[in-house]
Amino acid sequence: MEITMAHGSGGRASAELMARVFGKYFRNDILDRMEDSAVLEACGKIAFSTDSFVVSPPVFAGGDIGKLSICGTVNDLLMMGAVPEYIACGFILEEGLDIALLEKVVESMANTANEAGVKIVAGDTKVVEGRGGLYINTSGLGRIPEGRNVSAANIKDGDIVLLSGNLGDHHACVLSARMGIRSSIKSDCACLGDITKALFEGGVCVSAMRDVTRGGIGTVLNELAEASGCGIELDESEIPISSEVKGFCSILGLDPLYMGNEGKMVAFVPQQDAEKALALVKSTGNGKNAAAIGKAVKGKGVVIKTRLGGTRIVDVLQGEGLPRIC
Ligand code: MG
């Protein structure tokens, strides 16, 4: 069965879709009240973030747009040191969308939210003319525990840059699917709560964190350098990249520093905490391949020491990158 304009009418077909798909997977004490807004208990510092997801194709090796839509917002909350708690989601469905695909995506959102410990407490669906596309916006709230202060502004020269794992998997996976290239590369799409929990519970005084998404680590580190007033020096030989992605990049002429990821983060930690912090990250499921890849220095911008012993400037991504990667 396919989505029709009637599913967006607010009438009987909408109610049926609600019961058959959304109500089946999204259930909790707050959402089940079905009121105009979710009413939440909150006090203290709150992190609040929103993100829209338009990835094509909507299902790929290692994930789908539903999993991505929860991980993306959860990770943005985590990167501020927050404990993610609540998610609201908006769906824009194009006429002709296969309802079985929608159900798969909704089930995947519910499972990912469950694993991440967040409740989906509000939602909306609209239907528009089109060709069966599916777009999701998620917004999330997280509580920042007392005394936690994680911000790009805290980065100091001498801080060590930890990267949680291999670069480029999501980008290479989505691009292979789109180009019809057979490959074993899976998206790294994941919620990074195991890593942030290990760092905070291990007593690491984290200066800043950022998930390494669209634009790649080159772009993300330039943003952090700019925001912190520090420079960043990377060591190319320390940057983890799988041999499959390396091969993929060399065939297509891609630079892993600008490839998007959906389950990777960088953390800036004081030098004296770096060894312990790296061990903590490596002890988690999502951080097994973590590495210390460089440090913050006095100065501006991002440079990388190449394997050949030279140095080059790492600029932000120029041009459009890969559209609809997330
Ligand atoms: Mg982010």
Side-chain angles (χ1 to χ4, degrees), residues 49 51 72-73 75-77 79 209-214 220 223 264:
S49 186
D51 207 342
T73 290
N75 287 342
D76 281 343
L77 298 171
M79 295 304 107
M209 299 188 286
R210 186 70 61 93
D211 52 344
V212 185
T213 53
R214 204 171 34 161
V220 163
E223 288 167 4
K264 295 293 157 11

Side-chain angles (χ1 to χ4, degrees), residues 143-168:
R143 193 176 33 82
I144 300 180
E146 186 96 359
R148 223 176 253 186
N149 171 16
V150 182
S151 159
N154 297 339
I155 296 172
K156 307 166 290 299
D157 61 273
D159 277 1
I160 301 295
V161 185
L162 305 180
L163 168 63
S164 65
N166 299 351
L167 291 182

